[in-house]
Amino acid sequence: MLQVNLKMLPRLAEIETDLILRRKRAEEEQWLGEIEGIDMTLTFVRTKQADAARLAHRTPVALGIPALPPRPD
């Protein structure tokens, strides 16, 4: 799975807006197959936006630096 770079969130918002406009046009023209495809794409875009938002709120975990055991002399 690809992770969305947080810098790309504005682009995803643009894509979502464009898809909504395309869906309205498809409804007006009664392009049922197009509506179904746009709905699937909208679902994917919104899922990616939610994943990115979840990643943005995640705090890094300090794992520390592993220490080597003392060497026997």
Side-chain angles (χ1 to χ4, degrees), residues 63-71:
L63 298 176
I65 298 175
L68 296 175
R71 292 187 349 192

Side-chain angles (χ1 to χ4, degrees), residues 51-70:
D51 291 346
R54 202 170 24 256
L55 283 174
H57 291 99
R58 209 180 272 180
T59 56
V61 176
L63 298 176
I65 298 175
L68 296 175

Side-chain angles (χ1 to χ4, degrees), residues 12-59:
L12 282 177
E14 288 177 26
I15 291 170
E16 181 182 23
T17 301
D18 181 60
L19 286 168
I20 291 168
L21 292 174
R22 286 177 52 198
R23 190 181 193 291
K24 286 180 185 176
R25 168 94 192 273
E27 284 177 345
E28 291 168 1
E29 301 291 336
Q30 297 180 349
W31 296 334
L32 302 180
E34 186 73 13
I35 292 170
E36 184 178 347
I38 291 171
D39 285 345
M40 289 174 51
T41 307
L42 271 170
T43 300
F44 177 74
V45 167
R46 289 173 177 157
T47 300
K48 283 297 179 184
Q49 288 173 323
D51 291 346
R54 202 170 24 256
L55 283 174
H57 291 99
R58 209 180 272 180
T59 56

